[in-house]
Amino acid sequence: MNTVIVHAPGSVSNLGSGFDVLGFALNEPFDEFALRRTEQSGITLINESPFELPADPEQNVSGRVLLAVLQKTGIDGGFELTQRKRILPGSGIGSSAASAAGAAVAANALLGNIFSKVELLGLAMEGEVIASGARHADNVAPCIWGGVTLIRSLDPPDIIPIPPADLFVSVVHPQFEVKTADARAVLKRDVPLKSAVQQWGNVGALIAGFYRNDPELIGRSMADVVAEPYRKALIPGFEEVTKAAAAEGALGGGISGSGPSLFQFSKTREVAERVAAAMAHVYRDLGIDYFTYVTTINPEGVRVAGQY
Ligand code: HSE
């Protein structure tokens, strides 16, 4: 076997109240990567995505991961990666995590599955950090493990898969960029005790909601008093989208990662479709282009879709 093709899912990080510690993988959208071993050393990058990506492997998220794989294994030769990305960088739905985890999982498959999931996480983080400038694993971990994941600790890594509930997800991606570094810069360094108590009450209840497969408990535990109050100012239409989604019967949601995408959970596909349409309507009225997705939680993470 010389070539592996993987599908790497988008992901929603933070998951409402779980700032930096919770995330889940999406069935749509996903990226495709084809990875081939080469006799030539180093990394060759081919971009077949409908947008530009850094061509220098040191600056490219997947390239950096593959360089880390070469360094960790000391194997001869190199890799050629063909990138067919659909998840737009800067969308808030885990584009860089898909690039990082996709490259790590593809390399692992080509090399005969020599790495554990925790090692894959370490490799993927090497790429994720150049895109977001911060060490957070709440996109990369769900992208590798699939489903919903809790990052109890990063040093040492302690990733806890949470059973995904039967929920539908509506995502609206308005076409402007919020840089993760900017969205982190607006956050307060200190959290008042009252807010901390509210937040950990919600995170605990959210985890219980997933274990009980209780949509209402999940919905009301999404409230985020740590990041959302400061970040929503960076996202025109946030309040209107939240209200419109609730009016259509959404359970709850929030900012996907550091934005600008917004997500909402619903119990049925019909409601999720109506919620997505209502979210889209807000951006149409504001004259801002957008994409919407109606999807479900992806239970398996990066998937080997072909090898030859
Ligand atoms: N947890 C990170 C943040 C995700 O909210 O800053 C960034 O995509």
Side-chain angles (χ1 to χ4, degrees):
M1 177 185 59
N2 189 39
T3 301
V4 161
I5 294 172
V6 295
H7 288 170
S11 50
V12 170
S13 56
N14 297 335
L15 195 29
S17 49
F19 176 71
D20 270 2
V21 300
L22 276 173
F24 66 93
L26 294 164
N27 272 318
E28 287 281 341
F30 62 85
D31 289 340
E32 181 173 281
F33 299 97
L35 186 68
R36 184 171 80 79
R37 280 189 78 172
T38 56
E39 276 176 28
Q40 189 192 327
S41 62
I43 309 300
T44 308
L45 295 172
I46 298 166
N47 184 16
E48 294 182 356
S49 317
F51 43 81
E52 299 273 306
L53 291 168
D56 173 2
E58 285 282 356
Q59 304 303 322
N60 178 289
V61 172
S62 307
R64 185 71 85 89
V65 172
L66 296 173
L67 286 168
V69 171
L70 290 182
Q71 196 181 17
K72 193 173 164 82
T73 56
I75 56 169
D76 290 335
F79 292 112
E80 179 195 88
L81 182 76
T82 304
Q83 306 157 95
R84 296 181 197 116
K85 283 183 66 64
R86 300 189 207 155
I87 313 169
L88 279 166
S91 58
I93 42 177
S95 178
S96 54
S99 296
V105 172
N108 193 36
L110 266 187
L111 298 174
N113 295 314
I114 56 174
F115 299 126
S116 68
K117 282 198 163 132
V118 167
E119 286 174 311
L120 291 176
L121 179 80
L123 289 164
M125 292 289 287
E126 301 265 338
E128 173 73 321
V129 83
I130 61 169
S132 75
R135 262 177 71 76
H136 62 86
D138 50 340
N139 289 106
V140 162
C143 202
I144 291 173
W145 269 260
V148 181
T149 54
L150 170 67
I151 296 99
R152 195 198 65 81
S153 154
L154 259 185
D155 297 310
D158 189 1
I159 310 299
I160 301 163
I162 306 295
D166 303 323
L167 294 171
F168 291 84
V169 191
S170 313
V171 178
V172 64
H173 172 201
Q175 300 297 291
F176 53 85
E177 192 179 347
V178 175
K179 290 199 187 321
T180 298
D182 296 341
R184 293 183 84 85
V186 299
L187 302 178
K188 298 278 175 275
R189 298 299 106 187
D190 298 306
V191 176
L193 184 60
K194 190 166 168 255
S195 305
V197 170
Q198 267 178 281
Q199 194 85 357
W200 59 56
N202 276 327
V203 177
L206 189 52
I207 300 295
F210 278 106
Y211 271 90
R212 291 185 187 175
N213 198 5
D214 180 339
E216 276 76 22
L217 182 56
I218 292 170
R220 68 177 185 272
S221 310
M222 301 291 295
D224 167 24
V225 294
V226 168
E228 187 182 289
Y230 308 103
R231 286 180 165 180
K232 64 185 181 186
L234 304 175
I235 305 175
F238 172 87
E239 300 284 7
E240 296 90 323
V241 162
T242 308
K243 275 194 204 118
E248 291 299 339
L251 296 160
I255 303 170
S256 176
S258 54
S261 289
L262 304 173
F263 78 101
Q264 289 284 333
F265 284 133
S266 299
K267 271 198 265 191
T268 66
R269 180 168 290 275
E270 291 67 33
V271 173
E273 296 280 1
R274 286 208 309 270
V275 168
M279 292 163 112
H281 201 257
V282 171
Y283 284 109
R284 222 173 17 248
D285 283 353
L286 289 173
I288 296 172
D289 288 340
Y290 57 86
F291 293 122
T292 56
Y293 304 96
V294 174
T295 185
T296 45
I297 298 176
N298 170 325
E300 64 177 334
V302 183
R303 181 169 73 84
V304 176
Q307 44 196 52
Y308 48 87

